[in-house]
Amino acid sequence: IEPAEIKNQIAGLAARVKKMGSFFDLDQKTQQTLTLEEQAAAPDFWTEREKAQQVLAELNRCRQEIEAVTTLEQNLAENR
C-alpha cells in the first residue's frame, strides 16, 4: 500500500468518525454528562438509592460513548 493510499483511507475513516460523533450528538452527551454529574454531587443523592444507581449507570454510559468517539478522533488525528 502506498503512503498516499493510506492517507486517503485515514481521511475516509476520519470523516466516518466525524459523522459518528454527530450521530451520538457529543455536544448533547457532554451537556447530559454535566447535568448527571451535578445530580450525583447533590448531598441527598443517595436518598433514593434506586434512582441514584440509574443516574450513575446513565452517567457511565454517556462517558463511555464520549470517550469512544474522542479516542477514535485522536487516534486518527495522530495518524494523518
Side-chain angles (χ1 to χ4, degrees):
I1 297 177
E2 296 293 321
E5 188 177 338
I6 292 171
K7 282 189 174 190
N8 286 339
Q9 288 178 352
I10 290 173
L13 289 172
R16 287 182 181 161
V17 169
K18 188 168 183 81
K19 273 187 176 179
M20 189 172 77
S22 61
F23 173 77
F24 283 113
D25 195 359
L26 289 183
D27 291 336
Q28 190 272 336
K29 287 288 181 199
T30 301
Q31 183 57 48
Q32 185 178 5
T33 299
L34 294 173
T35 301
L36 292 168
E37 287 172 342
E38 287 176 10
Q39 290 176 19
D44 62 343
F45 179 68
W46 287 103
T47 303
E48 296 180 48
R49 183 182 173 124
E50 192 172 312
K51 182 179 176 186
Q53 289 174 334
Q54 290 173 351
V55 168
L56 290 179
E58 180 68 14
L59 178 58
N60 286 330
R61 188 181 64 77
C62 287
R63 286 178 175 163
Q64 288 172 351
E65 288 178 11
I66 291 168
E67 183 179 356
V69 174
T70 55
T71 298
L72 282 172
E73 288 175 339
Q74 289 170 350
N75 288 340
L76 288 169
E78 289 172 3
N79 291 300
R80 283 190 183 171

